[in-house]
Amino acid sequence: MGYVLTVISHEGYGGDITFTMGIGNDGTLNGISILKITETAGLGMRAEEDLKPQFAGKNVSAFTYTKTGAASENQIDAISGATITTNAVTTAVNGGLYYFQTWLGGGGNEAE
């Protein structure tokens, strides 16, 4: 059991990025599913293939992104040449996690 949240980031390079995120009652982010994205072809549009898999199965309170390779559970590898898109998605995921933790009685995140 858990929650599905619809999140909209207004910080995308090409406009709003809309996605859903599934969060288990224990705080595990089961993953995200991008619903609407209009980023630059070949760069930000790679969010579906490059960013989406990195969020699945993680139980952290917030994510950061890095350009040098993720070294911990709470780090996401940025899309090369699409830092704005990476930041927009990561910030929006963190907003969803914050909402879950603050308003929905979110689970005790295991890995920080």
Side-chain angles (χ1 to χ4, degrees):
M1 300 293 279
Y3 298 89
V4 175
L5 305 176
T6 299
V7 181
I8 300 172
S9 172
H10 301 296
E11 298 179 7
Y13 184 78
D16 291 351
I17 300 171
T18 305
F19 61 90
T20 58
M21 54 190 289
I23 306 171
N25 285 334
D26 68 347
T28 299
L29 177 58
N30 295 320
I32 66 171
S33 181
I34 297 175
L35 303 174
K36 178 183 171 241
I37 185 168
T38 55
E39 301 295 275
T40 306
L43 296 172
M45 288 302 287
R46 291 189 359 237
E48 181 77 26
E49 63 193 59
D50 289 355
L51 293 180
K52 179 181 168 180
Q54 296 186 68
F55 290 106
K58 305 273 180 87
N59 189 329
V60 300
S61 58
F63 289 94
T64 60
Y65 65 88
T66 177
K67 296 179 181 184
T68 59
S72 65
E73 279 291 297
N74 69 332
Q75 289 186 327
I76 299 298
D77 284 323
I79 299 171
S80 180
T83 305
I84 293 171
T85 304
T86 302
N87 182 59
V89 172
T90 303
T91 300
V93 167
N94 286 340
L97 290 173
Y98 177 80
Y99 181 81
F100 170 75
Q101 294 157 5
T102 305
W103 297 101
L104 300 176
N109 298 83
E110 304 296 327
E112 296 293 326

